[in-house]
Amino acid sequence: VLYCSFAKEKDLTSPERGLLHVWHSAGPFDHLCPERVLLSRPVLQATLGEHHGVLLTQGGQVYSFGELLWRDLSIPVSAPLLEVSLLGKLVVHVAAGGFHCGALTEQGNIYMWGENTAGQCGLTDLVSEPCLISVVDSEAIPPAAVRIVDLACGREHSLALSSQNELWAWGSGCQLGLVTNAFPVLKPQKVEHLAGRHVIQVACGAYHSLALVRSLPPQNYNTQKCPEKKERGQSPHFSVTGKEDMFAVDEAHYCPLGVELKDTLTREVSIIIKENLTNQIMDMAYILVVQILSTARPLHSFSMWIHTQNLVLCLHPKTLSPTLYLQLYLRSYSNSGVFGPYSSSSPVCLEEVRLRLEAEKKELQWQKSSSLTNINQKAKTAANRRRSLPGTPTHGSPRRQRHCACRPSSAGGTQTAAHEEAGDGLPSLETEVWSWGRGSEGQLGHGDQLARLQPLCIKSLTGEEVIKVSAGSHHSLALSAQCQVYSWGSNMCGQLGHGSSPVTVPQQAKLSDGLRVWDVSAGQSHSLLLADGDCVQPILLYCGQCQESMPAKSEKSRKSCPRSPNTAESTMGYISSVCSGGQRCAVLADQNVMGFISTIHELASKERHFYCWLSSIRKLLLNPLRNKGGSTTCVLSFCWSTLKSLFLFVYLFIFLSSECLGSQQITLAQLCASDQSVSGDVDLVSLMYWPLQQLHQYSRVLLKLAACYDVLTVEYQYLHQTANQYESVYLSLLRRKKEAESTFLFWKTHSGKIAEVLRLPHRRIVCESSNRSLTLQKAGRFSHHWFILFNDALVHTQFSSHHVYPLTCLWVKPVTEDSNALYAIKITCPEETFTMVASTPQEKNKWLRSLNQAVDQVLGGGGQGSSPGVAVMSRAASYTFTGDGRFKDAHYHGSWLGGRVHGRGTMKWPDGRTYKGNFKNGQEDGYGECIIPNKVLNKPDSYQGNWKDGKIHGFGKYKYANGEVYEGCYYEGQRHGYGMLSSGKRIRASSSVFIGQWLQDKRTGYGVYDDITRGEKYMGLWLDDQRQGSAVVVTQYGVYFEGTFKENKMSGSGLLLSDDDTYFHGEFSDDWTINGKGVLSLVNGDCIDGQFSGEWSAGLKVVGTYTKPAINEPENKERSSKLGQYVVPADQRWGCVFNECWSRLGCDTAGRGERTKAWENIAVTITTARRHSPGLSRSQSKVLECLEFIPQHEESVTTANYDNIRRYLIKACETPLHPLGWLVETLVTVYRMTYIGVGSNRRLLSQAVQEVLAYLTHFNSIVRFLFPGLPEDGGIIPDPPISPSTSRCVANSLEQGVVVFSSSSLLLPLLLPQLYPPLFTLYCLQQEQEEAQYWERILQLNKQPDQSLLSFLGVQEVCSTVKSVMLKTVSLLLFQIVSSSKDACFISAVETLQQISTTFTPSDKLLVIQKTFEELTQEVKPMLDDDFLWCMDDLLPLFIYVVIRARIRNLGAEVSLIEDLMDPNIQHGEMGLMFTTLKACYIQIQHESTI
């Protein structure tokens, strides 16, 4: 991640960043006089060849200077030449070889120019201007162009790194690494020897090459046997708590706080490899800063949040912080940053930085989770895990950053590590250095001076965490993550920084103490290093050929410098990058405007110092501990598995310092040398506390950064707030350190069995009353009470017993001083309440403050600002009940209020019972879900519904383990009110279903029982779970019975009809058993009157009189009149349903209650339903939101607000969560349960119609209760009061007529559409015979053409008499239509009438009939007078024609439904006459003879 600023095109004459300085390497180094390159744009990258150089500036422009032999030009350094041919190519990287140049564009294309005698430019001739070089993968099918991300040039060869981390070469010599003897190689070819390896960076010397390659993951010999263990072992967050990966622990071992290692740990341990232990120990060090930052609050700026994460990520040497943007700016600015001038008030705009950081936010998500929330998270794959360094630059691979030099955040790069973003964007530290080419000077580093035709790994650098390589003409350099430099090769001029002879294997350069190198570059016979030292400004180091400053003879003036790097003193500013080539040196520097650059350098230096310190910890401390093994390893293993805080880790090292490292005081002193706070003897405890100082350093540096901005800027606010947060965390951790020390002293002072039980690793002492400053109220004279307040619990000890009260479930309340002058504090716990009495007011305030702060802190607050009496009354916590009662041994997690469970929560009992839902005042109350195990059936019972005072109360659904399901109302734990019980198999239909009224867990009242197994349905009264009273029974064979039941049997008078209309009316003694007097009527009219006995289906014994009716005797209508005399009246059937609706409105009985309370209950019900139903759709949420508002219900209803009431009722009835919606849904359920299936018996039609009318009556009473302003049925809805301004509009509207209110017109549309299917089915069954006759006539009549049909209907005869002018006109019109088009008469009227089958309510069906008449009128209106009115004689034949052509099925059922449910107010009006016409047409067609 690069810290950069958007530079504008204006005011670029004097850039303050990207300043390039060049000087000759053979000059005097003790006093440099570099030459300044004068350009109007900041330089992003500089690269040097033998006698020339190439520059990349902001905007992607490329400049050249020096001896350009291919053009016969000599360009001075101060005025470089612009490469015009590269303008607009979006160049992001440049490279310079011995005598040729290269440029890399954002698209991954290469341009080469310069000397080409060895084919190093990839062409055949001299290349004076940049030319495009194609890199094509010929092995791909089809061949594809290769995208290049890095480029390096030597004297006679060139190397390119692709986006797939593959290496390509062209030119001449063994330094290519190609399997060929034919030179030059003009076409780029892949270096096959590195195929399959992950190349990170390349560098070219004169005749040798270097590559930085990612190490392959270590191979495990038993990979296939135990793949899971391999993955776990390679994870950088590996935990030793796993059963397979623990060390054997002796039973006598204790952790530093005295917690004994349990036997379970001893039985579960095993041995793991040493490398895994190293990872574990590094993870333990990583815990330090994780614990530090775990208490930090979220930062306001994302960029500052990124910086906070760096402290966590950089401590762990396996996870690189990709966003230490300030430090990375210093290491990669000249190669990838683009800076413009900044104002005095705002040196750098952080807004641009945040825009760049947003692009990295997604890549950081896994870092955040793995670093701050889950230390033990496993790696996705072992191969993707590697160590990494904070601050490692990523500019070496510009294509990976997807930046361009011509854009604000460009990403050019030099020959530094081209790091791969393998899913996490982090560069690798598990690297290897490979070399090949000429080795006459030992520059290959393999211990000899032989050439290598193929790349070969330098074994001595493996594991040294190399992050960058640089190649000079005949020597090589490597920079490690620990800021160490390794060099090898020619040392004629001392360019290696050690010794005086060539070195064939890498050796560490000799650097002064305290220097940390972070950039290197190798030239022809010299090396440049950039390092941190004691001062903030970077130190420039030089080793190699130089010249004395004093005058001397030419043959004596030139000599080699001392054999260690020299420090140069210069005034070039703050150097950010170095470059070497030929005999020249170059640096990129910045001016320190307002101290901003110096502060960034200071922050970066602190970060590098911190990482080097951590590396030293690993090398000097952790590795020896790993190698020592024994008891040390056991304690490490245990403490990793139980590590809960920073200070437990510190006490671990108290043990280790005395056990293992007592003789290494010198080493410890070296590690703490930079810590001024450490004095005297140094131990591991003080050493492990040193990272806390880093937080203070962050705060100090960020405050310095904030000082660079104006106080009113957003950047200042972000930096200042972040600095304060770091300082706050630092001070907080110092307090935690003090708490840990006090706790250690407390356990050391107080020993005994109680102390052993109470001692926990995470527990800290707050205060205690050993001085008898606190006692229990009303305690005995000789009693002894000792209160101990820990950070997680309050402990009350008395003699040898003690009781622990968790602070999460402890409420503190001060007791007001009374006349007894008691300084008391009341403690409330879930199962106990007691009062503590202090000796003095000061002691009371001390304990009260300590208790409140401890409670506040354990609940997630800061714990520092709490004042007495501020402990949270409402909270969420977990608790396990121990006392007797309903909650004995139950574990609760959820909300509390004042020491009692209150709100949402979950209660779990040891026997498996679970309740999840609402609590109130310590009991289940509200909606909840409960699971009760059934040990007999090995299945649980479950309940979902309402509770009250700890019992099931209200509406709910109970699923029994035996398969039964009850859904209905409860009262104090018993089924009471409306409910439906389904029993039998749950896979398919239940074997039986009961729906009806319950009383004290028994069926009592009206109910419907559907016995699916027997095929019978009972509809009648119940008493104590038995059929008792009037009832109707229908069977699947069409048998109908109505009568009385007693003790679950048919008993007394009853009426029975078979499917063939055989009729019996008499006495019954048992189910379907006749015993007594009766009358049996046969279908043909014969009748038997007498004594009957026997079962109906088996045969009857008869003693009586047989009567045969006379021939002329009219048909007996008595049979149909007797049906329904034993039926339960419709208005008494479903009172339980309406009572439940009244109850939900807050009324005890129907119509008795407060209307305001009813509306409040509706609003509360809707609001609660919205809160507990997160899965609602957007439309459903809008409907509920509308229903939450209480409409105007007290005012009188007028035509203005009547539509509002109607719309509200429609929405309410469509929402089951509304009481009215629940009522409609339940009524539909009971209606369908009654009249669907076996209940589809035509003899139930009259009962079904009466039941719908009863629904309307009860429903109307509820609506009138909610809207008392509605008029009575047949009343007129008045208009709103007339104002003078609206008098004209009202006068115009008076012509429209008045609005008559009808409950059926208001409520029937809400009910009937859902009741329509079963009701219309009954109508169809009732009219089955008439319908068959009607349909036969319809089919026959529709076979005739219009002319024949009109003749048949008698229209022609009527016309010939000319008695009706209208009919004659219509007849003429019909015959005109017939002659022009067959079957096209009144097609619109026919189609309109067909829509009657698509409507549900009588009012809608009447509207269809009315529209049909209007269509008829429109057809003949052009031929009629304007004042014409229809008469029945004119209308009937014409309407019969329309009905015949409409072909409506079940028209008789439609007519009967309209007639039964039509609004009485319109029966005698215009619509009533139209309906009578339709009915007459149906009867006429039914009895019409065929043509």
Side-chain angles (χ1 to χ4, degrees), residues 208 240 271 306 611 684 817 1091 1243 1290 1406 1461:
H208 74 287
V240 299
I271 303 300
I306 292 296
Y611 179 77
L684 284 175
E817 298 182 4
Q1091 292 285 338
R1243 299 180 180 89
V1290 174
L1406 290 173
L1461 300 177

Side-chain angles (χ1 to χ4, degrees), residues 15 25 51 422 450 493 512 558 671 831 838 958 982-983 996 1117 1299 1335-1336 1340 1389 1445:
S25 63
H51 303 290
L450 301 178
C493 300
S512 301
R558 189 174 301 276
L671 294 176
E831 301 178 87
Y958 201 113
S982 303
S983 60
K1117 300 296 183 180
V1299 179
W1335 190 245
E1336 181 182 359
Q1340 292 177 356
R1445 290 302 188 212

